[in-house]
């Protein structure tokens, strides 16, 4: 099986490594020729599994092409940032084969349902992962913590997809209803990401600093109200407890949003807190704490044209 991977960040490269490890082949898609040329100098990616008792590093060859010339796509993994997902998908859409299989794996919500609705004829799945991965150098990905990846269909029938992927991807779980799973990840991201960006702190401080924790509790209460109104079941325990648990087990990590703000990159705030606020408006619920975070984080990010992202 051959997979095209659009979004060569840590999760895209982690999947490329795991797919190659299982004997699949991959093509990494790049949006600009400089990045493509830089990758092609070695044409290899490396996967280090730091979660093992002894670190294990393997190198894999990967084909690489420009998004404007990807060749025929039978299987597409889309791991871009949420704000780039729809544009990235539309660029490669003309190259999808008639029965192509598409898996969307990014933080936040909005693009998954938009793409599924805009493309009812396509087989589109979405997923959410708790894998911890980072790039120690360009195209050298370290799997720092083994989490779980849950995937499920939004459109179409791809019953074979899970069976084919599960020997390759660590801790892969098939979810008959993926939307609540996306909501659970969204709820955690609403609780942790914007506050770490605003306070410029590591995840763990949100659980240990009483002032930060109080703000997180207000955000969580609003998120729970919206989810309840939409009939979404979040966690067995209150969201604030679950968010503190995640903040504690990832205590020394910088959230993706805190890193984006620190590196002056656009953030996923509109697909995380922005999506929550939109859903709140539809449900007729006031979410002032989340609205305020949305405004504050928008101000922290650089003004960008979508084309530059
Ligand atoms: O998903 C995350 C992120 O940083 O985007 C959390 C769960 C907050 C872990 O850092």
């Amino acid at each position: 099986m051959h997979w095209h991977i659009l979004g060569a960040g840590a999760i895209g490269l982690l999947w490329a490594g795991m797919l190659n490890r299982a004997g699949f082949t991959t093509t990494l898609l790049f949006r600009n020729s400089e990045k493509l040329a830089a990758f092609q100098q070695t044409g290899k990616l490396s996967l280090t599994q730091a979660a093992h008792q002894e670190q294990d590093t393997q190198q894999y060859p990967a084909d690489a092409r420009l998004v404007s010339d990807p060749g025929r796509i039978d299987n597409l993994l889309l791991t871009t940032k949420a704000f780039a997902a729809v544009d990235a998908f539309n660029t490669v859409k003309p190259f999808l084969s008639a029965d192509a299989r598409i898996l969307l794996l990014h933080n936040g919500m909005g693009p998954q349902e938009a793409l599924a609705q805009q493309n009812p004829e396509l087989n589109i799945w979405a997923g959410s992962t708790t894998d911890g991965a980072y790039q120690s150098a360009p195209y050298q990905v370290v799997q720092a913590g083994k989490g779980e990846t849950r995937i499920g269909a939004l459109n179409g029938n791809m019953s074979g997809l899970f069976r084919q992927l599960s020997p390759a991807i660590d801790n892969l779980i098939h979810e008959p209803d993926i939307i609540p799973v996306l909501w659970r990840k969204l709820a955690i991201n609403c609780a942790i990401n914007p506050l770490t960006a605003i306070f410029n702190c590591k995840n763990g401080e949100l659980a240990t600093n009483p002032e930060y924790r109080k703000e997180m509790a207000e955000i969580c209460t609003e998120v729970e109200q919206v989810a309840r109104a939409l009939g979404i079941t979040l966690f067995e325990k209150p969201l604030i407890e679950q968010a503190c648990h995640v903040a504690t087990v990832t205590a020394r990590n910088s959230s993706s949003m805190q890193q984006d703000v620190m590196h002056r990159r656009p953030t996923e705030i509109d697909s995380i807190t922005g999506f929550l606020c939109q859903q709140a408006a539809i449900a007729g619920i006031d979410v002032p704490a989340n609205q305020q975070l949305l405004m504050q984080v928008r101000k922290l990010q650089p003004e960008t044209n979508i084309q530059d992202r």
Side-chain angles (χ1 to χ4, degrees), residues 22-38:
F24 299 153
T25 51
T26 51
T27 297
L28 301 181
L29 296 177
F30 290 91
R31 260 169 291 174
N32 72 57
S33 36
E34 290 78 36
K35 286 197 173 155
L36 174 66

Side-chain angles (χ1 to χ4, degrees), residues 259-266 300-304:
Q259 292 183 51
D260 286 338
V261 167
M262 209 171 59
H263 292 108
R264 312 249 341 115
R265 297 188 295 240
L300 290 179
Q301 60 185 2
E303 287 287 321
T304 44

Side-chain angles (χ1 to χ4, degrees), residues 107 185 188-189 192-193 203 246 255-256:
N107 265 349
K185 181 73 193 303
I188 295 295
N189 287 140
I192 295 179
N193 294 27
N203 294 355
V246 175
S255 79
S256 51

Side-chain angles (χ1 to χ4, degrees), residues 95-122:
F95 302 94
L96 294 171
S97 61
D99 53 357
R101 304 182 303 179
I102 298 130
L103 175 58
L104 310 171
L105 207 55
H106 57 74
N107 265 349
M109 286 184 78
Q112 301 96 330
E113 285 184 291
L115 286 173
Q117 277 162 18
Q118 287 158 16
N119 301 281
E121 73 291 0
L122 293 177

